[in-house]
Amino acid sequence: METKDKVSNARRGFMKAGAVAGGGLLFGFSLFGCSKDGKEGQNDRKEKPSETAVGQAATAATEPAGLAHDAFIRIDREGIVTLIIHKVEMGQGTFTSMPMLLAEELGADLSKVKLEQAPADNSLYADPMLGGQVTGGSTSVRGAWKPLREAGAKVRTVLVQAAAQTWKVDEKELSVVGGTVRHAASNRSAHFGELADAASKLQFPKTVTLKDAADFTLIGKSLKRLDSPVKTNGQAMFGIDARLPNMGIAAVMASPVTGGKVAAVDEQKAMAVKGVRQVLRIEGAVAVVADNFWTAKQGLIASAPRFDDGPNANVSTASIVADMAKAAEGTGAIATNKGDALKVLGQEGGGRRIDAVYEMPFLAHATMEPMNCTVDLRADACELWVGTQVPALAQGAAAKVTGLPVEKVKVHNHYLGGGFGRRLEVDNVLQAVAFAKLAKGPLKVIWTREEDIQHDMYRPYYYDRLSAKLDNKGMPLAWFHRVTGSSIMSRFAPPMVKNGVDPDAVEGAADLQYTIPDMRVEYVRHEPPGVPTAFWRGVGPTHNIFVVESFIDELAYASKTDPVAFRRALLQKSPRTLGVLNLAAQKAGWGRPLKPVAGRKVGRGVSTQFAFGSYMSQVAEVSVGPDGDVRVHRVVCAVDCGQNVNPDGIIAQMEGGIVFGASAALWDQITHEKGRVQQTNFGDYRVMRMNEAPTVEVYIVNSHDEPGGIGEPGTAGIAPAISNAVFAATGKRVRKLPIGEQLKKA
């Protein structure tokens, strides 16, 4: 393996040449803010994240992240600008927003800017905010906001210099518009491709001046998605679309109980199904390989696999929750401690104390594209075709299973048919490669919807204890919140866990926007036996925003104060949160009577939040039937995500996140009995249908602050807005999700 210095120097030498083989211009830069000579440049980030935060979870990283360059710009002689970067596209709009950032400062024609997913390489393509080659955490625009614009400005500078030298004119006389450098005085112009060779011989500037927001021509404009054409004409390739010569297609059945092993399988009956090629068996799963998936599935059914359930055979949701409730009685690691909340809560008199327990269920991701992975394993190399949020981790996982050097594993990454955090995991890759070691030829492994839901890695179950003390005027004096749940970060990125606190598990709880004199937030780590947990769109905030905003609502009603007015009183030191609350309340007509719905009770509910660097408030209007059926009719969402890049993309993410979060809040949960997941498909793990979807209105605050994340926040705020609306309609407080089940029980 090369040393850090050798690798870094090699990269720098490569970039000094500045040219693409065959002609053109290549510019490498770092999203960490490293300049071309490898020295740390100016960046808005206060500190560089741990380079091993994600790398420790993978065997993929052959070198520490961020040695020299983690993104590249290539301009060919035709003037096509290609941005090669570590992010993937899973419906969140990355392949549009990031080219917009580049094109804004470069002066490029956006239609000629392409984005390519970088190959798996943690040494080059580490995310500046996550410390590894990862797309997640609503970080794409946040991490690239300044570096991408600076890179565009630097490339524009050398293109202008090349034109000035060629035409022997002053650079100040030139302008750049639509991918063309122009000299108005002599009526000369040249597109980027014509200048690329000359520009490649020049030195890129160390510093540049970026545009003021008032001068933006692309940023802040609603633009069509650049990937829409290929997604509508069928050209877009997803992992499940992979096709290789002589490829077998496998249907899989894993042990229904985590940790179980294959006990028996009837290979003879499986092979009797016409088109079946092989029956493969690893410790915890069986795969039947055939010419097509339907045949493989029929062969799998015929093989009738039986399993030894193993140590988790008696796990149930009831036993998990009982253990968590007990764990929640103990003192946790301190996430926030201001004043002496415990003392104030324990004092007699002087106001009213309110206590509550909230619970959030396990949740599956249920992405539209089920988990899949295609493997071509040879004696000296391995290739993967997959859609993953973590290509370097996928590469490392395959290397570990095969025993090959990591550089001998090539990952062909594709569009993702939904990520939501599910494709931050590589369990499907590990399984597919294990089967490929036994297969004859290339192998595509596809999970059925049932396999996908019953062998997901789930959003953790959370059990929260809360207490608050109100003064004689009904305002909070003290706040206590103990979060109990599993720690995803301890597995995925151990260095992120400090003093026993998982930052994700307490996000949205430890950093309250409300001003309360005495506050204490604790975290108790409790891992459920036999239930793997992982990130789920919004993760910690989807849990904590529900709990905090529901409990705040409880306090408002206990103090006989309007819920919006109560929040306003506590947000005087959080102007941006107050701003979105006021905007949402105004647009929703808060305080005006709701239109009656025959035979149903109606109500409005509100939530506010600060998560992933963005501020948001949602107001939901619901009706509740006599049987507890909840319908969400309208959602008003106000969002302050700093400088917006593509407003249309923001609206789409809010709409999608709200529908995604509402489905979970109303109906969804994963339950266990005898170690087995009880839900199987969309029949009992519901996704909101078109006729059930509310009208969603999104209002974006016009801000020029640093951008916040937008892919996940919409999911977090909808559950409390709905549950608070249900309380307004019925007087029934929902402290445990899903809402529908609780109301029907009541």
Side-chain angles (χ1 to χ4, degrees):
M1 184 188 299
E2 296 176 283
T3 65
K4 285 187 184 182
D5 289 341
K6 287 182 179 179
V7 174
S8 187
N9 289 332
R11 303 299 185 200
R12 295 170 197 154
F14 171 60
M15 293 315 305
K16 188 176 181 180
V20 183
L25 173 68
L26 182 67
F27 175 64
F29 61 101
S30 174
L31 295 175
F32 277 116
C34 293
S35 60
K36 187 171 154 229
D37 61 4
K39 295 178 181 178
E40 192 75 15
Q42 295 299 313
N43 198 310
D44 290 337
R45 296 178 58 258
K46 293 182 179 179
E47 61 179 18
K48 192 171 178 178
S50 169
E51 293 180 343
T52 59
V54 175
Q56 283 193 3
T59 56
T62 56
E63 303 145 6
L67 287 176
H69 308 283
D70 46 42
F72 296 89
I73 298 167
R74 183 177 67 232
I75 301 178
D76 65 19
R77 288 175 173 171
E78 301 302 315
I80 300 299
V81 179
T82 302
L83 172 62
I84 305 169
I85 204 164
H86 61 288
K87 293 300 182 183
V88 301
E89 176 61 65
M90 49 190 170
Q92 81 279 36
T94 299
F95 278 23
T96 301
S97 58
M98 302 195 85
M100 287 176 67
L101 295 178
L102 173 63
E104 180 67 70
E105 295 288 348
L106 179 57
D109 177 350
L110 187 61
S111 68
K112 293 186 177 181
V113 179
K114 313 298 180 186
L115 194 148
E116 287 183 6
Q117 293 181 25
D121 190 335
N122 247 2
S123 67
L124 279 181
Y125 298 108
D127 184 279
M129 298 184 73
L130 301 176
Q133 192 175 2
V134 180
T135 302
S138 299
T139 58
S140 295
V141 169
R142 284 194 287 167
W145 165 246
K146 188 175 179 181
L148 260 185
R149 291 163 57 226
E150 287 181 337
K154 290 178 180 181
V155 174
R156 184 194 70 237
T157 299
V158 296
L159 290 167
V160 168
Q161 289 175 350
Q165 292 177 11
T166 301
W167 299 332
K168 295 181 171 43
V169 298
D170 192 320
E171 294 174 26
K172 296 179 181 178
E173 299 176 16
L174 302 179
S175 62
V176 182
V177 179
T180 302
V181 180
R182 299 175 182 176
H183 185 239
S186 62
N187 198 30
R188 283 180 288 187
S189 66
H191 66 67
F192 286 174
E194 295 172 300
L195 298 168
D197 286 345
S200 70
K201 299 178 176 64
L202 303 176
Q203 291 291 322
F204 294 101
K206 290 186 176 181
T207 60
V208 287
T209 300
L210 300 178
K211 289 183 179 180
D212 292 329
D215 298 323
F216 289 156
T217 58
L218 291 174
I219 293 173
K221 305 295 190 296
S222 286
L223 301 178
K224 294 180 179 179
R225 292 276 296 263
L226 299 180
D227 56 356
S228 291
V230 296
K231 286 183 174 178
T232 52
N233 67 19
Q235 288 182 320
M237 291 290 292
F238 294 81
I240 205 167
D241 295 324
R243 293 285 187 274
L244 301 177
N246 196 37
M247 179 182 71
I249 299 179
V252 176
M253 184 181 294
S255 168
V257 179
T258 301
K261 299 179 181 179
V262 178
V265 58
D266 195 329
E267 295 189 26
Q268 188 174 2
K269 286 186 178 179
M271 294 301 295
V273 177
K274 186 178 179 180
V276 169
R277 301 182 185 182
Q278 279 184 280
V279 177
L280 310 177
R281 175 174 169 171
I282 58 177
E283 183 177 71
V286 173
V288 172
V289 184
D291 299 332
N292 56 68
F293 185 72
W294 177 255
T295 301
K297 187 177 178 181
Q298 298 310 302
L300 185 62
I301 293 170
S303 72
R306 290 185 288 112
F307 299 90
D308 175 359
D309 290 346
N312 297 310
N314 295 318
V315 169
S316 68
T317 298
S319 65
I320 289 171
V321 175
D323 288 345
M324 293 187 77
K326 186 175 181 180
E329 294 175 358
T331 302
I334 298 174
T336 300
N337 194 30
K338 183 178 71 171
D340 196 339
L342 297 179
K343 180 179 178 180
V344 176
L345 287 166
Q347 290 173 344
E348 295 291 337
R352 178 182 175 187
R353 174 171 170 156
I354 298 172
D355 301 293
V357 171
Y358 279 81
E359 296 180 52
M360 298 278 281
F362 293 113
L363 291 174
H365 299 80
T367 60
M368 289 297 100
E369 179 191 10
M371 300 302 284
N372 64 86
C373 182
T374 299
V375 185
D376 185 8
L377 178 58
R378 303 179 295 277
D380 60 347
C382 178
E383 293 186 67
L384 307 178
W385 287 261
V386 69
T388 177
Q389 295 172 247
V390 284
L393 298 190
Q395 182 188 43
K400 185 175 181 179
V401 175
T402 61
L404 291 168
V406 73
E407 61 271 16
K408 294 294 184 180
V409 177
K410 184 175 182 179
V411 177
H412 303 272
N413 207 6
H414 296 282
Y415 285 113
L416 281 61
F420 314 131
R422 179 63 182 99
R423 287 180 161 89
L424 287 169
E425 303 298 334
V426 295
D427 51 322
N428 63 314
V429 174
L430 290 166
Q431 186 193 75
V433 176
F435 279 128
K437 291 175 69 175
L438 306 174
K440 299 173 182 176
L443 181 69
K444 177 192 285 189
V445 176
I446 302 175
W447 292 13
T448 61
R449 179 61 62 192
E450 290 79 7
E451 194 74 9
D452 190 36
I453 288 178
Q454 295 189 310
H455 294 88
D456 202 342
M457 297 184 70
Y458 305 101
R459 202 276 304 273
Y461 198 107
Y462 289 104
Y463 189 99
D464 292 36
R465 293 185 179 275
L466 293 101
S467 299
K469 188 73 169 287
L470 301 179
D471 64 19
N472 292 327
K473 295 182 180 180
M475 298 307 292
L477 291 170
W479 173 281
F480 174 79
H481 184 182
R482 179 178 294 146
V483 177
T484 301
S486 62
S487 173
I488 303 169
M489 283 293 189
S490 293
R491 173 182 59 82
F492 196 83
M496 300 297 289
V497 178
K498 306 291 186 184
N499 300 317
V501 177
D502 181 319
D504 171 71
V506 298
E507 185 174 359
D511 51 353
L512 286 191
Q513 296 293 289
Y514 300 116
T515 300
I516 300 173
D518 294 271
M519 185 179 300
R520 183 181 179 96
V521 179
E522 297 179 357
Y523 171 64
V524 176
R525 180 182 178 184
H526 183 78
E527 302 297 338
V531 184
T533 58
F535 298 113
W536 185 92
R537 190 178 186 178
V539 213
T542 67
H543 146 243
N544 288 312
I545 301 302
F546 168 70
V547 173
V548 167
E549 287 301 300
S550 297
F551 196 52
I552 281 286
D553 225 60
E554 288 199 50
L555 303 186
Y557 279 97
S559 67
K560 295 182 172 56
T561 306
D562 174 82
V564 169
F566 188 79
R567 287 171 169 83
R568 282 176 177 150
L570 299 176
L571 288 172
Q572 295 306 310
K573 295 183 180 179
S574 303
R576 293 178 72 181
T577 313
L578 179 61
V580 290
L581 172 64
N582 288 336
L583 179 58
Q586 174 205 343
K587 297 296 184 180
W590 188 271
R592 294 201 300 264
L594 282 169
K595 182 179 179 180
V597 178
R600 302 172 69 84
K601 297 178 179 180
V602 296
R604 274 196 196 95
V606 65
S607 72
T608 68
Q609 68 183 66
F610 171 64
F612 304 102
S614 292
Y615 302 81
M616 187 177 302
S617 180
Q618 295 186 32
V619 175
E621 297 177 1
V622 310
S623 68
V624 184
D627 61 350
D629 172 63
V630 179
R631 298 178 192 171
V632 184
H633 300 281
R634 180 188 182 211
V635 176
V636 175
C637 174
V639 57
D640 177 355
C641 57
Q643 174 65 59
N644 63 80
V645 176
N646 185 353
D648 186 63
I650 294 169
I651 292 170
Q653 286 301 288
M654 291 301 99
E655 293 171 339
I658 285 168
V659 170
F660 189 84
S663 297
L666 290 171
W667 307 304
D668 292 341
Q669 60 181 326
I670 291 295
T671 58
H672 293 77
E673 190 63 43
K674 294 183 178 179
R676 290 160 169 77
V677 171
Q678 301 301 290
Q679 292 69 33
T680 61
N681 207 314
F682 292 128
D684 50 14
Y685 194 85
R686 291 183 60 182
V687 173
M688 185 171 277
R689 293 166 173 80
M690 290 180 68
N691 67 314
E692 298 169 321
T695 298
V696 178
E697 302 171 21
V698 180
Y699 300 94
I700 304 172
V701 173
N702 184 23
S703 171
H704 298 308
D705 289 311
E706 290 287 312
I710 212 65
E712 294 164 282
T715 303
I718 188 61
I722 294 174
S723 65
N724 292 338
V726 166
F727 179 81
T730 67
K732 297 174 182 175
R733 177 64 63 185
V734 177
R735 290 175 172 169
K736 181 179 180 180
L737 297 181
I739 294 169
E741 181 184 67
Q742 299 307 308
L743 288 183
K744 288 176 181 179
K745 283 182 178 179

